Amino acid sequence: MDLLDILHGWNRRRIMARRLSKPAKDTPFGFMMNAISEMQDGRFEPLETALVRTMLQRADRFVNVGANMGFYCLLSAQAGVETMALEPVPSNVRFIVDNMRANGWDTGVTLLPVAAGAEPGFVDIYGVGTGSSILKEWGSNPESTRQTVSAVRLDDVIASPRTDERMFILMDIEGYETFALKGSSALINAATKPVWLIEIVGEGFEGTINPQAQDAFDMMLAAGYQAVCVDETLAPAKGPTPSATNFLFFDKALTLEDVLGPEAERIAPLVV
């Protein structure tokens, strides 16, 4: 670890501490939030936001693995959907708690300050906010931001859906998704399969090093899922693609219309 790395890490922690000290602001979504500006003004992941809002209208339970600053959990709480969030980065945990309380939502959301992995234990994570990753090479996170956090298997903390329950799982854990899925075999193979929205960034995408990306697809497809790209095309996918970084996985016995309802024909950027 060199001096430049230490300075970069110090600066990121300084910026995060400043951001945490700010009050929550009104957003175009009808709730208050303290976060990066893209989340506050409606520019954050517009396609994914449109999809998540559609899914939450049809979900009985929402699980957000890698909840970041709580944007999608706020959408879920606003929709009145039972919510569980997993987020290991301490500063992000603070954002989630503060954002929920800023809206008066003191119940209905279970927050676990842990990472999801293949086995329970402890892992190092790099970063102090959005983009933090257990993968050391991910996103140019300074080595000096390394923190040790607890890790759990999703199967150990999330009950599989009941026969009549519609579960929606969003996983965004910066390249570590294959390892988390290895700890989720009961959920993946549940008789009533959850719908999963998973960020999977392929090897080489904007310099990404992610040799496990195809393994995540192979695991889900072998368990009886199909996948579509989360973009305007909703094209079928069997592996990472340059055109999308998020993918919707759902039971291969279902159609997109079964999963999304009338919105199956398109996902347009949400206009707020």
Side-chain angles (χ1 to χ4, degrees), residues 10-243:
W10 172 83
N11 191 48
R12 291 197 184 189
R13 287 189 293 269
R14 180 187 63 82
I15 292 171
M16 185 58 60
R18 255 176 55 185
R19 184 171 285 142
L20 272 167
S21 69
K22 295 180 179 180
K25 294 174 55 178
D26 289 325
T27 71
F29 303 99
F31 53 72
M32 299 182 68
M33 186 176 194
N34 179 20
I36 59 175
S37 60
E38 291 86 351
M39 292 180 183
Q40 292 178 315
D41 62 21
R43 291 179 291 124
F44 182 72
E45 298 185 346
L47 293 174
E48 290 79 0
T49 297
L51 179 104
V52 169
R53 295 185 82 181
T54 297
M55 288 298 306
L56 289 173
Q57 295 173 19
R58 307 167 66 84
D60 300 306
R61 185 160 37 127
F62 175 60
V63 179
N64 193 177
V65 185
N68 203 325
M69 296 176 174
F71 176 70
Y72 290 116
C73 292
L74 287 165
L75 290 175
S76 180
Q78 183 185 52
V81 178
E82 179 186 345
T83 302
M84 175 178 281
L86 285 79
E87 174 52 55
V89 179
S91 56
N92 284 345
V93 171
R94 170 77 182 278
F95 274 110
I96 296 170
V97 173
D98 289 353
N99 284 328
M100 289 297 167
R101 303 214 73 183
N103 292 278
W105 296 331
D106 290 339
T107 61
V109 176
T110 299
L111 173 58
L112 301 182
V114 297
E119 298 291 342
F122 301 93
V123 294
D124 289 337
I125 192 164
Y126 300 83
V128 292
T130 299
S132 298
S133 178
I134 295 170
L135 301 183
K136 184 177 179 181
E137 304 84 3
W138 192 272
S140 300
N141 286 312
E143 185 179 354
S144 57
T145 61
R146 181 179 63 187
Q147 304 172 80
T148 300
V149 298
S150 297
V152 299
R153 298 169 70 249
L154 292 183
D155 283 343
D156 293 336
V157 296
I158 302 171
S160 294
R162 301 181 302 272
T163 302
D164 60 346
E165 185 180 25
R166 297 168 297 184
M167 179 185 285
F168 176 39
I169 301 176
L170 190 160
M171 180 180 290
D172 184 352
I173 51 177
E174 308 299 335
Y176 206 66
E177 54 279 345
T178 299
F179 301 96
L181 291 173
K182 288 179 179 178
S184 312
S185 58
L187 277 171
I188 291 171
N189 292 287
T192 302
K193 295 187 184 321
V195 176
W196 301 69
L197 174 58
I198 308 177
E199 182 189 68
I200 306 176
V201 181
E203 181 83 5
F205 183 87
E206 296 184 353
T208 298
I209 300 172
N210 189 10
Q212 306 286 336
Q214 184 61 51
D215 293 346
F217 276 91
D218 293 344
M219 198 180 311
M220 298 297 284
L221 298 178
Y225 289 82
Q226 57 186 309
V228 297
C229 301
V230 178
D231 58 17
E232 292 88 346
T233 70
L234 291 176
K238 295 187 180 298
T241 160
S243 66

